[in-house]
Amino acid sequence: MKKMLMVLMLMLVGVVGCGQQGISIEDIEKEGTLLVGLSGDYPPFEFYKMIDGKETLVGFDVMLAEKIAEELGVEVEFKNMDFNSLIGALQSGQVDMVISGMSPNETRLKQVDFSDFYYTGENAVLVREDDVAKYQTESDLKDIKIGTQLGSIQTPIAESFTSSVKELSTTQSIVLELSNGNVDAVILGKDIADRYAEEFDNVVVSDVTISSEEAMAVALPKGSDELTAKVNEVIAKLKADGTLGEMLEEAMKIANE
């Protein structure tokens, strides 16, 4: 019995270890498909849009994933899941990389590797239109109820202002909580905040300036040095020829149509 338990433990260790190993370009080429994890509720980066009568995954991160797959000479397949599940999916080998508006932080850097930044931008604070005069500076955020997306980089920012932080799995749901009066403010990346301010009649971007930036990078399994270098090469090329900026403009246009 003890021997059987020992074998099972060794098998489990082997499975976990396998999920933690890096992935190579050769691995992806053999499969012929690049598996990309994302959370499709973050316009203009990744979101669903009705196109020609069909719910279609679109956005800036989707375009970037397609460019990376094109450079690797493979197809791309997207796996949509809650944002908070993406790191686990990457570690367990369910996806090859995560491109989902994700910002490196101390915890994530211990779990996965990251590419160079492909996007940097400001954070913003959404409030209800009737409350806009109440929130002018960061000090006005003290001790109020702030909403953020579960697992997002904005959560620790909110926690620096208040102990009352409400996290939900999607940005749509947390902005709806703001609209319904269940939280006082929501912290999001500015481009995303602008998008939701257009979608909700009673929600606006406040004048509060958040000092920290939102910086996005591609997440990859630990030890994927060759693949990370290739992703960095693609990002650098798209920045240099202006394609990255054009992709963001196109994604914002689609989101606002």
Side-chain angles (χ1 to χ4, degrees), residues 188-204:
L188 291 170
K190 189 172 187 312
D191 288 324
I192 292 86
D194 288 339
R195 174 69 183 82
Y196 280 113
E198 293 180 2
E199 182 177 337
F200 287 81
D201 292 337
N202 66 334
V203 169
V204 297

Side-chain angles (χ1 to χ4, degrees), residues 154-172:
Q154 285 80 25
T155 296
I157 296 172
E159 290 171 342
S160 70
F161 298 118
T162 180
S163 59
S164 183
V165 176
K166 183 170 186 176
E167 296 180 276
L168 291 177
S169 60
T170 69
T171 52
Q172 178 82 24

